[in-house]
């Protein structure tokens, strides 16, 4: 399943099924779409009426009937007014319906994505997911905006012109239609060749952009090894291949359009020869011949248009298929169907024979039993890959265990509504992720309705109020703007403030590993202590001091708990924890002097 | 009317065009052939109508239609040539400019890259170039189109002055409307692009911060942000649509409206005998023919300001001269052990903030020195000055007795290898990454370097060994593994001096343990400068210097400094992570 997203391949559904699914995102747009179609039909018919009035007028000229001439002109002008109005409405409605559909799709697709489980996000590349919701929707936009209206108009025009030509003169119409197979054949050949050429173009532009990107981000290494010359030559090669691909496409275009242009002249010549003889023979009026010539302009253009739109349609279908790949996916961690109410959470968390595996053949957790009482502070230690992060994610129900049970205050985690669960249990990620926006928005992220008084109280409690006051615009400071970019310690503090304002009973904390300067370090430590006070805490520890301060240390190795106990007792026991401790000590070298920490 | 910036941009665009004279001329000539045939075509048709049909000369029918066909063939050839040579011109110019940009970016010094975001350089080489290309591609047809307007107006006036004058008024009017429309659309479309980018940022942020979103159950809040962005896009797009709904039907109205006018007025004159039926057709046909060129030309002139701005940005980048280049009369680096001397060195950033302030240091050949200092104290600057990634603003840096600024950059960097804090690996095989600095190195040499860097073992464990691809689409390596490949890359050059710029800071204690062993072997017999703050790494150096405020404030062994200098312990402790 995952491979599908990784490779970005589409699904093997039929076009019809794809379109049906896509249409289901545009509910309520049916009548608008119908109105748009009616307007388009009126616009096309009035446009096609033009040459008919020219014919009437010219025939009137032929018999020197001034009144009939003016009647035709006024009808013509009237039709043009109607044409303008209906075409404007049609343009506005068709595109408007499309835009509305896209706006709905953007929101619905995002809502669906964001409700998927964390597991899905950690296994997918963020860039791929973002492009599903942006560039793939843009590919649809292209078609909806430019494609849909042109397809409808072009098809209607071809049909209308064909009917009009047959109405004027059957044999002449047949003569012009004889060119149709040639035009179609030329268009198909061009399409096949151009598709291939454009695929090459797309592939090579990707390479060119990739090479530039790498050239820029790797520029320091390039200069350090004085490989500028070689880089230039290699880039020149990639760039030249892109040029070649473009020129191949250019050749196709440069051959196709003249061919179509010549076919149009051939059509003109046919009309002049066949029609001219019929006029001379007296089988056809002069006005009819000129009307025919005017229709000819509208006969070739739509077919070329449709051929061009085919490309847009293909791109749109490919994008749609990829998008539906996400929209069809159901969250692996579903909301409970009949949730058990848990208005207040005391904070007891118990794991019973919990097993977990992303891939059934590679178990990550192999039977975890752990009872954490309310208000207890647990430090989990272990090497990378021991399963400690997974345990933390299970505790906040980012994943469900493969077997066994996790209970919060004696209620199965999977039976608690997400609302109650998120209020009761929070994971505070290590990196201190900040959203674009103000400091205020970031602190009250979990509770957007919190008042400034509450936010300041949180800042006071955590001991960061002075720091906030020192910022240029206090709570209104934009966290991502140039110049006020927060340091990693400051980001952690904001994350802690966010957690405190959310006020969960259980906190799961993935400790930060990044370097802080001593002053900030001290502030973060103190803030953390305040936050954890009176709450159940599960801390994935990277620092010796954190393990030392915990009520119990849980040592994990290869998906199992190998030791549980207080730091001092475990040192005495001289087991796995004592060994790990020794490695830490060695890596740290001499202990820092007193008073530094 | 045209602002000076745009005028400058246009001049620059033209100056570049000189290099592609051949394609530009061929395309413009083809465009003129096409243009003449576009005008001749309706005239020939007129002859068919008037002479053969109206004049009842069946014998003239076939020869005249033959002439129509012949003109059609020439016109088709003109179209083909115009398109092909315009493509050739525009893509050639784009490709060459992109090569120049890339080459230039590679030559610009570190301080430039420190200050310039990657995205900005990317858009110089992609979207800005597309703008320039578009204008070049459109130039030949626009020249021919403008000529076409003049000729068609002249022809219409010559057929019938009154009718011609009325219809000719449509030309400037349409041109004005087309230009107004294009300017509006371009403005709104740019805005929509910006809004789309904002939307992408919101989505990327929600996905990047998904753990926070989920931790606090704020999916609805994020959806609301996307909703807001989607409405923003929708509203602006609807403005675009409104403009299109007003203007596009208007463009399509012009030709038939002119036809109606011609039908009414011209019809009367035909009855009066002042205008032939063929001439009537010719008039109507010209209006149809002019329609699209008028729109295109209006659009072209609306694009000019954007394209010249883009061209201006590209040329500004190309004009930025690299500041660190080979000296005019370079000297060779004499053979030596890699003796390093910083003598009264000053360095400040381009914005004037001082970094090194009378910095003195001597590292005898083969010795190793660790540099310790707080963030921003100038540790990395010391390393960068030696490899000449930066140039001193005062004093000098000597390698084996010669000023680093007096030798060729290639020679210098061959002897001074830097392992950066952030490991950069290219999307290429492991082998190519190690041999990056010496593409001609034998497999044996690559393996030896990998062994020295303690990387051989894990490399052979990957699926394809040394041929395993790394990078975004390839094998993903751990931080420690990447670091060791970078180390192998450095030692493959067998440099006199090795600089390890915080190369162990971003890995955990266990990984650092692995790297430390590798470091020990590669440091043997080489002058080494280590920038680090982990005690275990510092212990590898013969000597530690402690810098504060751009100067060496103390030196000695790690233990020695720990005892004597309280600030030293504090700076280390601040970055110590168990």
């Amino acid at each position: 399943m995952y491979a599908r997203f990784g490779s970005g391949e589409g699904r093997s559904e039929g076009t019809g099924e794809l379109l049906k699914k896509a249409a289901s995102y545009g509910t309520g747009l049916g009548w608008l779409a119908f109105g748009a179609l009616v307007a388009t039909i009126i616009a096309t018919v009035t446009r096609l009426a033009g040459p008919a009035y020219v014919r009437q007028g010219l025939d009137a000229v032929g018999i020197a009937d001034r009144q009939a001439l003016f009647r035709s002109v006024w009808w013509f002008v009237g039709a043009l007014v109607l044409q303008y109005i209906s075409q404007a409405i049609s343009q506005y409605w068709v595109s408007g319906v499309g835009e509305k559909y896209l706006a709905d799709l953007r929101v619905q697709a995002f809502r669906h994505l964001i409700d998927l489980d964390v597991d899905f996000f950690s296994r997918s590349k963020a860039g791929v997911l973002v492009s599903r919701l942006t560039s793939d929707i843009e590919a649809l936009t292209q078609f909806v905006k430019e494609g849909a209206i042109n397809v409808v108009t072009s098809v209607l025009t071809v049909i209308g012109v064909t009917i009009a030509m047959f109405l004027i003169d059957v044999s002449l119409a047949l003569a012009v239609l004889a060119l149709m197979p040639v035009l179609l054949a030329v268009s198909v050949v061009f399409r096949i060749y151009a598709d291939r050429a454009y695929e090459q173009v797309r592939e090579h532009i990707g390479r060119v952009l990739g090479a530039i990107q790498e050239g820029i981000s790797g520029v320091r290494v390039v200069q350090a090894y004085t490989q500028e010359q070689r880089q230039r030559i290699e880039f020149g090669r990639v760039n030249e291949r892109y040029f070649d691909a473009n020129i191949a496409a250019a050749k196709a275009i440069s051959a196709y359009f003249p061919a179509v242009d010549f076919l149009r002249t051939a059509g003109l010549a046919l009309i002049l020869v066949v029609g001219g003889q019929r006029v001379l023979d007296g089988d056809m009026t002069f006005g009819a011949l000129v009307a025919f010539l005017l229709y000819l302009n509208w006969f070739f253009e739509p077919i070329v248009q449709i051929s061009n739109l085919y490309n847009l349609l293909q791109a749109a279908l490919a994008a749609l298929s990829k998008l539906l790949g996400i929209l069809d996916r159901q969250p692996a961690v579903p909301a409970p169907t009949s949730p058990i109410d848990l208005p207040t959470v005391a904070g007891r968390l118990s794991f019973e024979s919990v097993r977990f595996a992303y891939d059934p053949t590679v178990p990550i957790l192999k039977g975890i039993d752990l009872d954490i009482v309310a208000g207890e502070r647990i430090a989990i230690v272990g090497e990378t890959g021991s399963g400690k992060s997974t345990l933390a994610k299970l505790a906040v129900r980012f994943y469900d265990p493969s077997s066994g049970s996790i209970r919060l205050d004696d209620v199965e985690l999977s039976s608690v509504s997400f609302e109650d669960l998120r209020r009761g249990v929070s994971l505070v990620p290590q990196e201190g992720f900040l959203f674009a926006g103000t400091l205020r928005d970031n602190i009250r992220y979990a509770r957007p309705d919190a008042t400034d008084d509450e936010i300041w109280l949180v800042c006071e409690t955590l001991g960061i109020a002075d720091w906030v006051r020192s910022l240029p615009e206090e709570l209104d400071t934009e966290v991502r703007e140039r110049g006020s970019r927060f340091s990693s310690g400051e980001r952690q503090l904001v994350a802690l403030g966010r957690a405190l304002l959310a006020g969960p009973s259980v906190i799961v904390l993935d400790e930060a590993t990044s370097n802080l300067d001593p002053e900030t370090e001290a502030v973060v430590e103190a803030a953390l202590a305040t936050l954890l006070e009176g709450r159940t805490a599960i801390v994935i520890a990277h620092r010796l001091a954190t393990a030392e301060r915990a009520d119990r240390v849980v040592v994990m190795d290869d998906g199992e708990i190998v030791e549980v106990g207080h730091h001092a007792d475990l040192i005495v026991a001289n087991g796995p924890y004592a060994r790990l401790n020794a490695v830490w000590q060695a890596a740290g070298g001499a202990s820092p002097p007193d008073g530094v920490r | 009317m045209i602002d000076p910036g745009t005028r400058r941009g246009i001049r620059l665009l033209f100056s570049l065009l000189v290099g592609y004279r051949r394609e530009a001329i061929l395309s413009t000539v083809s465009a003129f052939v096409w243009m003449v045939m576009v005008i001749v075509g309706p005239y020939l048709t007129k002859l068919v109508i008037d002479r053969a049909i109206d004049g009842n000369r069946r014998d003239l029918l076939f020869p005249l239609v033959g002439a129509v066909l012949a003109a059609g063939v020439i016109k088709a050839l003109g179209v083909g040539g115009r398109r092909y040579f315009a493509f050739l011109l525009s893509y050639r110019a784009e490709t060459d400019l992109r090569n120049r940009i890339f080459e230039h970016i590679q030559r610009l010094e570190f301080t430039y890259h420190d200050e310039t975001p990657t995205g900005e350089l990317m858009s110089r080489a992609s979207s800005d170039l597309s703008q320039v290309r578009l204008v070049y591609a459109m130039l030949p047809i626009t020249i021919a189109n403008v000529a076409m307007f003049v000729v068609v107006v002249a022809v219409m006036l010559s057929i019938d002055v009154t009718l011609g004058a009325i219809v000719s008024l449509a030309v400037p009017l349409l041109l004005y409307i087309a230009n107004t429309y294009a300017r509006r659309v371009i403005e709104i479309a740019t805005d929509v692009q910006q809004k789309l980018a904002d939307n992408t940022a919101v989505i990327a942020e929600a996905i990047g911060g998904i753990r926070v979103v989920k931790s606090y159950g704020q999916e609805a809040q994020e959806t609301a942000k996307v909703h807001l962005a989607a409405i923003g896009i929708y509203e602006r797009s609807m403005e675009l649509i409104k403009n299109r709904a007003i203007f596009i039907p208007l463009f399509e109205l012009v030709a038939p409206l002119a036809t109606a006018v011609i039908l009414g007025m011209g019809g009367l004159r035909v009855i009066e005998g002042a205008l032939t039926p063929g001439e009537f057709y010719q008039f109507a046909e010209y209006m149809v023919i002019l329609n699209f060129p008028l729109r295109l030309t209006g659009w072209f002139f609306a694009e000019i300001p954007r394209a010249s701005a883009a061209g201006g940005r590209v040329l500004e980048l190309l004009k930025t001269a690299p500041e660190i280049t080979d000296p005019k009369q370079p000297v060779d680096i004499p053979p030596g052990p890699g003796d390093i001397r910083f003598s009264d060195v000053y360095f400040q950033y381009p914005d004037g903030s001082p970094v090194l302030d009378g910095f003195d240091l001597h590292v005898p050949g083969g010795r190793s020195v660790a540099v310790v200092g707080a963030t921003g104290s100038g540790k990395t600057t010391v390393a960068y000055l030696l490899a000449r990634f930066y140039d001193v603003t005062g004093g000098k840096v000597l390698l084996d007795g010669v000023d680093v600024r007096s030798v060729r950059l290639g020679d210098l960097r061959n002897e001074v290898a830097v392992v950066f804090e952030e490991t950069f690996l290219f999307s290429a095989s492991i082998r190519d990454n190690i041999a990056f600095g010496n593409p001609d190195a034998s497999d044996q040499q690559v393996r030896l370097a990998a062994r020295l860097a303690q990387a051989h073992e894990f490399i052979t464990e990957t699926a394809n060994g040394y041929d395993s691809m790394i990078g975004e689409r390839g094998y993903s390596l751990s931080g420690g593994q990447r670091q060791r490949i970078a180390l192998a890359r450095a030692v493959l050059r067998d440099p006199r001096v090795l600089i390890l710029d915080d190369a162990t800071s971003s890995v955990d204690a266990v990984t650092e343990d692995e790297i430390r062993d590798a470091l020990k072997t590669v440091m043997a017999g080489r002058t080494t400068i280590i920038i680090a703050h982990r005690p275990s790494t510092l212990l590898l150096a013969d000597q530690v210097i402690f810098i504060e405020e751009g100067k060496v404030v103390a030196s000695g062994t790690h233990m020695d400094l720990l005892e004597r200098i309280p600030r030293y312990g504090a700076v280390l402790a601040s970055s110590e992570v168990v």
Side-chain angles (χ1 to χ4, degrees):
Chain A
M1 270 270 231
Y2 166 56
R4 196 169 75 208
F5 301 113
S7 61
E9 274 169 30
R11 298 134 45 89
S12 53
E13 267 167 324
T15 305
E17 206 177 325
L18 270 179
L19 289 176
K20 215 160 87 188
K21 276 205 176 118
S24 69
Y25 284 86
T27 47
L29 297 174
W31 281 106
L32 271 177
F34 180 73
L37 184 68
V38 171
T40 313
I41 290 174
I42 296 175
T44 310
V45 170
T46 45
R47 190 154 46 126
L48 292 178
Y53 293 121
V54 172
R55 177 191 176 182
Q56 278 186 4
L58 286 183
D59 288 347
V61 169
I63 54 169
D65 180 348
R66 278 164 216 251
Q67 269 179 349
L69 170 65
F70 282 118
R71 218 170 23 243
S72 310
V73 171
W74 289 124
W75 274 105
F76 192 3
V77 172
L80 286 177
V81 172
L82 189 59
Q83 177 196 331
Y84 179 80
I85 294 169
S86 56
Q87 203 185 346
I89 292 174
S90 148
Q91 278 270 351
Y92 189 75
W93 267 5
V94 173
S95 305
V97 168
E99 282 296 340
K100 190 86 194 59
Y101 171 75
L102 287 169
D104 289 350
L105 185 65
R106 277 180 217 286
V107 178
Q108 288 193 41
F110 180 80
R111 183 177 294 142
H112 183 88
L113 178 75
I114 202 83
D115 280 337
L116 290 177
D117 48 294
V118 176
D119 177 35
F120 171 78
F121 285 97
S122 24
R123 293 217 258 163
S124 311
K125 280 187 179 154
V128 173
L129 294 183
V130 173
S131 70
R132 287 292 163 276
L133 266 71
T134 53
S135 43
D136 281 344
I137 291 188
E138 287 335 302
L140 279 179
T141 309
Q142 282 278 319
F143 179 73
V144 168
K145 272 189 189 155
E146 289 155 34
I149 178 123
N150 284 339
V151 167
V152 176
T153 313
S154 300
V155 169
L156 287 175
T157 306
V158 172
I159 295 172
V161 167
T162 309
I163 293 173
M165 290 200 299
F166 271 100
L167 283 178
I168 296 175
D169 192 287
V170 175
S171 58
L172 201 48
L174 286 175
V176 174
L177 276 184
L179 288 173
M180 185 82 116
V182 184
L183 180 63
L184 285 178
V186 169
S187 295
V188 168
V189 170
F190 166 70
R191 192 42 57 205
I192 292 170
Y193 187 82
D195 275 354
R196 221 176 299 149
Y198 278 119
E199 201 184 306
Q200 288 286 309
V201 168
R202 276 195 298 276
E203 192 186 319
H204 286 287
I205 183 68
R207 289 194 192 162
V208 165
L209 293 178
I212 297 172
Q213 172 92 46
E214 193 164 275
I216 297 171
S217 33
V219 69
R220 289 171 178 78
V221 176
V222 171
Q223 293 188 4
Y225 290 89
T226 45
Q227 297 298 315
E228 293 94 332
Q229 278 296 326
R230 196 176 115 219
Q231 284 289 104
R232 182 178 66 81
I233 292 166
E234 274 177 18
F235 177 77
R237 219 174 282 148
V238 174
N239 201 17
E240 199 61 30
R241 265 187 239 129
Y242 174 53
F243 172 79
D244 291 342
N246 272 316
I247 291 304
K251 278 181 186 158
I253 294 172
S254 306
Y256 175 64
F257 285 97
V260 173
D261 195 76
F262 178 72
L263 277 177
R264 198 179 287 135
T265 311
L268 177 69
L270 267 176
I271 295 173
L272 288 177
V273 169
V274 178
Q277 306 225 29
R278 287 178 68 77
V279 172
L280 285 173
D281 292 342
D283 293 341
M284 198 168 120
T285 66
F286 199 73
L289 178 68
V290 173
F292 227 99
L293 288 175
L294 293 178
Y295 278 128
L296 186 69
N297 284 322
W298 289 328
F299 185 64
F300 285 90
E301 210 46 46
I303 293 171
V304 173
Q305 279 273 0
I306 293 171
S307 155
N308 286 339
L309 291 170
Y310 182 69
N311 242 7
L312 276 185
L313 178 69
Q314 268 188 326
L317 284 178
L320 195 60
S321 145
K322 284 192 245 171
L323 190 61
L324 286 175
I326 286 181
L327 293 179
D328 280 351
R329 205 188 162 90
Q330 294 307 314
V333 182
T337 41
S338 48
I340 295 170
D341 271 352
L342 205 61
T344 54
V345 175
R348 179 176 169 205
L349 199 62
S350 44
F351 291 75
E352 215 179 283
S353 340
V354 169
R355 290 170 181 278
F356 180 79
Y358 300 104
D359 169 356
T361 59
V362 190
I364 307 289
L365 295 181
K366 305 170 178 170
I368 298 291
D369 288 292
L370 184 63
D371 197 5
I372 302 167
V373 298
E376 192 181 23
R377 192 188 296 189
I378 297 285
I380 305 180
V381 300
E383 284 183 26
T384 312
S386 61
K388 54 183 179 183
S389 305
T390 307
L391 189 66
K393 285 170 195 157
L394 288 175
V396 294
R397 215 186 156 215
F398 278 2
Y399 305 90
D400 278 337
S402 318
S403 70
S405 84
I406 303 170
R407 282 195 293 270
L408 176 66
D409 289 358
D410 291 323
V411 178
E412 199 66 45
L413 220 49
S414 55
S415 318
V416 184
S417 76
F418 275 117
E419 267 186 358
D420 286 347
L421 181 66
R422 297 299 174 227
R423 232 187 351 251
V425 185
S426 286
L427 177 113
V428 182
Q430 56 175 346
E431 69 272 19
F433 185 91
L434 297 187
F435 294 91
T438 63
L439 182 59
R440 176 188 291 105
D441 291 339
N442 269 285
I443 295 179
R444 67 174 181 192
Y445 184 74
R447 275 184 47 208
D449 57 335
T451 64
D452 274 12
D453 287 346
E454 285 176 286
I455 296 171
W456 279 111
L457 184 65
V458 159
C459 294
E460 297 286 355
T461 314
L462 283 183
I464 60 172
D466 286 340
W467 168 65
V468 175
R469 271 190 279 270
S470 76
L471 295 172
E473 288 169 87
E474 303 197 349
L475 287 176
D476 289 317
T477 307
E478 292 282 338
V479 299
R480 288 248 175 115
E481 244 168 42
R482 265 171 194 278
S484 67
R485 227 173 255 162
F486 290 7
S487 72
S488 86
E490 289 162 345
R491 285 202 304 270
Q492 287 175 37
L493 285 172
V494 176
L496 295 181
R498 188 188 283 158
L500 186 61
L501 188 64
S505 307
V506 181
I507 283 189
V508 180
L509 187 85
D510 200 344
E511 194 169 55
T513 49
S514 52
N515 306 334
L516 301 179
D517 65 70
E519 288 96 289
T520 320
E521 171 90 47
V523 179
V524 171
E525 287 286 334
L528 193 57
T530 312
L531 172 65
L532 298 186
E533 215 169 81
R535 293 177 216 277
T536 310
I538 302 174
V539 184
I540 298 171
H542 298 290
R543 289 159 210 251
L544 203 52
T546 313
E548 281 171 3
R549 269 199 295 262
D551 295 322
R552 278 193 291 169
V553 178
V554 172
V555 185
M556 293 196 59
D557 185 38
D558 198 22
E560 289 177 74
I561 295 178
V562 289
E563 245 182 342
V564 182
H566 189 263
H567 167 78
D569 298 336
L570 292 180
I571 294 288
V572 174
N574 204 18
Y577 180 71
R579 279 197 294 280
L580 194 65
N581 192 49
V583 173
W584 281 359
Q585 293 280 5
S591 303
D594 286 343
V596 168
R597 218 326 102 86
Chain B
M1 192 161 139
I2 302 173
D3 64 287
T6 307
R7 208 175 307 146
R8 204 178 122 256
I10 295 171
R11 251 207 316 276
L12 291 169
L13 288 179
F14 270 103
S15 69
L16 272 175
L17 202 57
V18 174
Y20 309 97
R21 260 175 320 228
R22 197 181 72 94
E23 291 85 354
I25 291 171
L26 281 172
S27 179
T28 309
V29 168
S30 306
F32 268 91
V33 169
W34 161 79
M35 184 269 285
V36 169
M37 288 304 134
V38 162
I39 294 170
V40 167
Y43 174 73
L44 291 175
T45 310
K46 181 204 93 164
L47 290 186
V48 174
I49 294 172
D50 286 351
R51 296 268 168 85
I53 302 173
D54 208 32
N56 214 347
R57 293 273 308 270
R58 223 176 263 263
D59 58 313
L60 282 178
L61 189 60
F62 279 93
L64 281 173
V65 172
V68 170
L69 272 177
V73 171
I74 298 171
K75 186 169 103 183
L77 290 176
V79 173
R82 185 199 81 205
R83 281 181 181 264
Y84 179 70
F85 289 114
F87 277 130
L88 204 58
L89 155 73
S90 60
Y91 281 118
R92 193 66 261 167
E94 186 192 25
T95 305
D96 291 350
L97 272 174
R98 194 180 285 119
N99 274 335
R100 281 174 62 186
I101 290 175
F102 185 85
E103 183 190 0
H104 201 76
I105 288 173
Q106 297 286 302
R107 283 168 57 216
L108 286 169
E109 61 279 350
F110 278 29
T111 40
Y112 181 87
H113 287 286
D114 290 344
E115 286 164 9
T116 317
T118 307
E120 202 171 298
L121 293 177
M122 284 295 287
S123 55
R124 282 309 89 76
S126 52
S127 52
D128 281 352
L129 281 188
S130 306
Q131 288 275 342
V132 172
R133 168 172 58 81
L134 218 54
V135 167
Y136 281 173
M138 301 272 304
L139 193 61
I141 190 175
T142 304
I143 295 172
N145 278 341
V146 171
M148 186 199 291
F149 305 147
V150 175
V151 178
V152 167
V153 166
V155 170
M156 291 205 284
L157 285 173
S158 76
I159 296 174
D160 190 301
V161 179
T162 331
L163 205 51
I166 292 172
V167 176
S168 300
L169 281 180
V171 171
L173 186 69
L174 256 184
L175 206 52
Y176 174 76
I177 294 173
N179 185 253
T180 308
Y181 168 66
R183 274 204 315 252
R184 268 196 218 177
V185 163
I186 287 170
E187 190 202 319
I188 302 174
T190 313
D191 208 32
V192 169
Q193 281 304 320
Q194 183 55 48
K195 289 219 169 356
L196 283 171
D198 293 346
N199 179 51
T200 305
V202 170
I203 292 171
E205 189 176 77
I207 292 174
I210 189 73
R211 273 150 53 97
V212 180
V213 176
K214 292 274 176 189
S215 292
Y216 297 110
Q218 293 301 314
E219 290 90 343
Q221 188 181 338
E222 294 303 317
T223 308
K225 286 183 198 168
V226 172
H227 192 185
L228 204 65
I231 287 179
I233 297 168
Y234 172 74
E235 282 174 352
R236 214 63 178 116
S237 300
M238 286 309 285
E239 259 177 81
L240 198 64
I241 285 166
K242 210 194 299 173
N243 272 293
R244 292 213 320 206
I246 292 170
F247 282 98
I248 289 184
L250 192 62
F251 294 133
E252 294 199 8
L253 199 62
V254 170
L257 199 58
T259 310
V261 172
I262 297 163
L263 181 64
M265 292 185 62
L268 279 182
R269 295 173 81 82
V270 174
I271 293 172
E272 289 159 7
L275 195 73
T276 68
E279 282 169 341
F280 164 78
Y281 168 80
Q282 198 181 351
F283 257 93
E285 188 65 14
Y286 279 149
M287 286 318 293
V288 174
I289 286 168
L290 282 182
N291 198 15
F292 193 66
L294 281 168
R295 284 167 67 179
L296 202 63
T297 308
W299 180 80
F300 177 83
F301 285 109
E303 272 294 335
I304 285 277
R306 276 214 305 180
S308 61
R313 284 193 295 269
V314 167
L315 286 157
E316 194 179 327
L317 169 64
L318 291 178
K319 269 198 334 213
T320 313
E323 278 169 18
I324 297 181
T325 51
D326 280 336
K328 288 220 171 63
Q329 281 151 340
V331 298
D332 289 331
I333 308 176
D339 181 280
I340 300 166
R341 191 179 289 277
F342 283 74
S343 154
D344 197 25
V345 167
Y346 288 81
F347 177 78
Q348 54 186 38
Y349 282 120
D351 66 5
S353 52
V355 182
L356 292 185
D357 197 18
F359 180 86
D360 284 300
L361 176 69
H362 177 226
V363 186
R367 302 274 292 173
S368 55
V369 166
V371 184
V372 173
T375 311
S377 61
K379 293 171 293 186
T380 297
T381 306
V382 171
Y384 282 7
L385 288 174
L386 184 57
R388 257 199 104 198
F389 296 139
Y390 295 164
D391 266 347
V392 296
T393 39
K396 53 179 141 181
V397 181
L398 305 172
L399 173 65
D400 283 324
V402 296
D403 191 321
V404 292
R405 284 170 299 172
S406 65
V407 300
R408 275 178 217 93
L409 281 175
D411 292 349
L412 176 69
R413 291 173 185 169
N414 212 13
E415 295 298 350
V416 180
V418 184
V419 179
F420 294 100
E421 176 179 0
E422 276 175 45
T423 312
F424 184 86
L425 299 181
F426 294 88
S427 346
S429 67
I430 292 180
R431 189 203 172 280
D432 288 349
N433 266 286
I434 294 177
F436 183 72
N438 311 47
D440 305 327
S442 69
D443 280 359
Q444 220 170 353
Q445 287 172 301
V446 170
R447 273 159 203 271
L448 187 66
R451 278 216 172 84
L452 273 175
Q454 313 274 311
H456 178 74
E457 203 170 314
F458 78 76
I459 292 172
T460 48
E461 278 167 15
T462 62
N464 296 314
Y466 282 85
D467 292 324
S468 294
M469 296 295 289
I470 36 186
E472 201 161 304
R473 277 151 192 262
Y475 202 83
S476 67
L477 298 167
S478 74
Q481 291 172 332
R482 294 165 62 86
Q483 201 55 269
R484 276 175 282 167
I485 288 182
L487 207 55
R489 177 156 74 194
V491 297
L492 182 63
R493 304 199 106 181
D494 193 19
R496 290 181 207 183
V497 181
L498 183 64
I499 299 174
L500 306 170
D501 180 14
D502 239 348
T504 58
S505 69
S506 49
V507 295
D508 62 49
V510 181
T511 313
E512 199 218 345
D513 221 37
E514 298 165 14
I515 297 178
R516 206 166 45 233
D517 286 340
L519 290 180
K520 263 186 214 157
T521 53
V522 300
M523 283 167 62
R526 245 184 272 279
T527 313
T528 312
I529 294 181
I530 305 174
I531 295 161
H533 45 247
R534 281 202 174 133
S536 47
T537 309
L538 295 176
L539 286 170
L540 291 172
D542 300 324
Q543 189 196 6
V544 178
I545 62 160
F546 180 48
I547 59 177
E548 277 203 311
E549 288 174 9
K551 286 191 188 67
V552 178
V553 293
S555 69
T557 66
H558 171 60
M559 289 308 198
D560 179 31
L561 289 179
L562 210 54
E563 250 168 57
R564 277 173 30 218
I565 318 285
R567 279 289 299 160
Y568 176 74
V571 166
L572 285 187
S574 72
S575 22
E576 189 233 347
V577 175
V578 177

